[in-house]
Amino acid sequence: MIIGVPKEIKNNENRVALTPAGAKELVKRGHTVYVQHTAGEGSGFSDSEYETAGAKILPTIEATYEIAEMIIKVKEPIEPEYALIKEDQLLFTYFHFASHEPLTKAMVDSNAVCLAYETVEKSDRSLPLLIPMSEVAGRMSVQKGANYLEKPLKGRGILLGGVPGVLPAKVLILGGGIVGTQAAWMAAGLGADVTIMDVSLQRMRYLEDVMPANVNTMMSNEYNIRKMIKSADLIIGAVLIPGAKAPHLITRDMLKDMRPGTVLVDVAVDQGGCIETCKPTTHENPTFIIDDVVHYCVANMPGAVPYTSTLALTNATLPYAIQLADKGWKKAAQENAELIPGLNVINGDIVYKAVAEAFGMNYVPVEKYL
């Protein structure tokens, strides 16, 4: 198969979808790998490293899309890329369709095959290609939150871990999944007073067992959220409904109950966000303020630590990329059921129910193609 790795063009996105080591594995199996010039530079990989691994370098993004049967990316295609995507071309990347209607319509119109990292699903319901970036984003959410609590950045002027004789900051985490768990570890490690909210009693029992003493669990409901936000210094939104839009757990009217300088970090913003007032921002302009509450809503947080993120992501994606290249997407999905929920759009049809429902568009069961 001919595989193309374009350079990411989303604002401040420095990750790359394939490392030189990954390129070598694909070339070893007889595939041809084309990497766009400087695609790996942001993650610390030079063109010469890819060439040594057996890949070929192309000068432009247009040339990369034009030649490839399979495109491997990190972030969803953005508008300048829409016209480059060809009929029957396989795109293997993060899409987060349910929060972005123009992207969904563009991919439907392209007649391409869109296989989304974030909805590839194991039999135990875990999301193997979302986990590594959730781990990075969860840990980063606390780093960023701690930073924006500083007064020069319009925060409350509170040190996350406090000092002897001064209480630590209160951190409220909405969601006890991968992001929430990683955020709790980081916040607890820095000495904060942490509360994780979740709707699953089973999950909270697990968290209660594994977390240190400065982490408490609490049932997530509107009453409890309204009560806790009044004293929280840092609130982290870590809610995920696979393939669908995140629900708004913090609404616009709740901001008036928060103290000035409270910091909100919405890790779910690329799936629509679980904080109503959050809108996607970039690493260039990461925050905005509403009602004296600082909102940090960067949609590609792991892009700020591209070396770590690229290695963590490609460790997870490469085995699937090899299957897709070796067998083609159809046979690979027939032989590995984990790939089937990853299929979101095929040849103009939306084959992932939550995406079709998000926009009231027509849904076609994926079985039509398998």
Side-chain angles (χ1 to χ4, degrees):
M1 189 178 277
I2 301 169
I3 297 151
V5 182
K7 185 180 173 77
E8 299 294 325
I9 58 173
K10 192 165 183 161
N11 181 293
N12 274 281
E13 181 50 73
N14 293 298
R15 289 172 290 180
V16 65
L18 195 67
T19 60
K24 191 174 184 69
E25 289 304 313
L26 287 161
V27 170
K28 252 171 43 182
R29 288 169 166 76
H31 306 296
T32 307
V33 177
Y34 288 96
V35 177
Q36 187 187 337
H37 172 55
T38 72
E41 265 187 9
S43 295
F45 303 118
S46 65
D47 285 356
S48 62
E49 288 177 83
Y50 284 103
E51 287 177 312
T52 303
K56 298 173 182 177
I57 303 298
L58 287 175
T60 64
I61 193 168
E62 290 83 3
T64 309
Y65 272 97
E66 177 56 39
I67 201 165
E69 297 167 287
M70 171 163 73
I71 291 285
I72 308 179
K73 275 177 54 60
V74 178
K75 290 303 287 177
E76 74 284 349
I78 61 174
E79 206 171 319
E81 294 172 272
Y82 293 171
L84 304 178
I85 295 162
K86 304 179 299 186
E87 185 171 351
D88 290 329
Q89 196 168 40
L90 172 62
L91 273 76
F92 190 38
T93 186
Y94 287 117
F95 280 105
H96 299 290
F97 280 122
S99 62
H100 197 5
E101 190 170 2
L103 169 70
T104 307
K105 287 184 169 170
M107 293 305 100
V108 166
D109 292 343
S110 74
N111 281 309
V113 178
C114 300
L115 211 157
Y117 290 164
E118 72 274 8
T119 56
V120 171
E121 192 176 299
K122 288 184 172 286
S123 56
D124 63 2
R125 304 296 307 279
S126 65
L127 305 168
L129 305 189
L130 199 58
I131 285 171
M133 293 304 94
S134 296
E135 289 169 337
V136 173
R139 293 180 178 209
M140 279 188 71
S141 68
V142 175
Q143 273 182 212
K144 293 297 181 184
N147 190 29
Y148 283 99
L149 277 170
E150 295 173 11
K151 199 69 180 175
L153 298 173
K154 304 293 187 268
R156 288 199 64 230
I158 185 168
L159 183 66
L160 207 66
V163 289
V166 181
L167 288 172
K170 290 189 173 182
V171 177
L172 176 63
I173 299 169
L174 304 174
I178 303 294
V179 170
T181 302
Q182 297 296 324
W185 279 119
M186 284 293 276
L190 289 168
D193 176 356
V194 185
T195 302
I196 306 185
M197 288 187 160
D198 201 274
V199 292
S200 165
L201 213 48
Q202 185 181 350
R203 183 66 183 174
M204 284 191 284
R205 286 192 181 107
Y206 164 77
L207 292 169
E208 197 75 44
D209 283 345
V210 299
M211 285 290 163
N214 55 331
V215 178
N216 297 299
T217 56
M218 192 175 194
M219 182 55 76
S220 180
N221 55 48
E222 187 182 338
Y223 182 87
N224 284 346
I225 291 171
R226 285 187 181 274
K227 178 180 165 188
M228 294 300 290
I229 60 174
K230 292 175 182 175
S231 61
D233 301 296
L234 169 59
I235 300 170
I236 295 171
V239 175
L240 173 77
I241 297 172
K245 216 168 182 303
H248 288 152
L249 299 187
I250 291 184
T251 52
R252 176 76 176 78
D253 71 295
M254 290 183 187
L255 265 54
K256 68 181 186 303
D257 294 328
M258 298 177 193
R259 293 179 294 192
T262 299
V263 175
L264 304 180
V265 179
D266 196 344
V267 185
V269 72
D270 52 8
Q271 283 285 78
C274 63
I275 297 167
E276 188 178 8
T277 45
C278 270
K279 298 288 177 284
T281 60
T282 64
H283 290 293
E284 218 162 59
N285 297 296
T287 61
F288 55 90
I289 295 172
I290 300 175
D291 293 352
D292 294 322
V293 173
V294 180
H295 292 62
Y296 179 95
C297 315
V298 174
N300 62 328
M301 286 171 67
V305 286
Y307 180 77
T308 300
S309 297
T310 290
L311 290 174
L313 179 62
T314 55
N315 285 345
T317 57
L318 185 63
Y320 294 96
I322 288 169
Q323 291 171 45
L324 292 166
D326 285 352
K327 302 170 184 174
W329 68 267
K330 195 174 284 190
K331 188 160 186 259
Q334 286 166 344
E335 292 183 11
N336 183 357
E338 294 171 14
L339 286 166
I340 294 173
L343 291 162
N344 280 217
V345 177
I346 302 176
N347 298 143
D349 289 330
I350 297 176
V351 296
Y352 196 91
K353 201 169 191 176
V355 173
E357 287 172 351
F359 308 118
M361 294 168 79
N362 189 45
Y363 164 69
V364 175
V366 71
E367 287 73 24
K368 171 185 170 182
Y369 291 94
L370 299 174

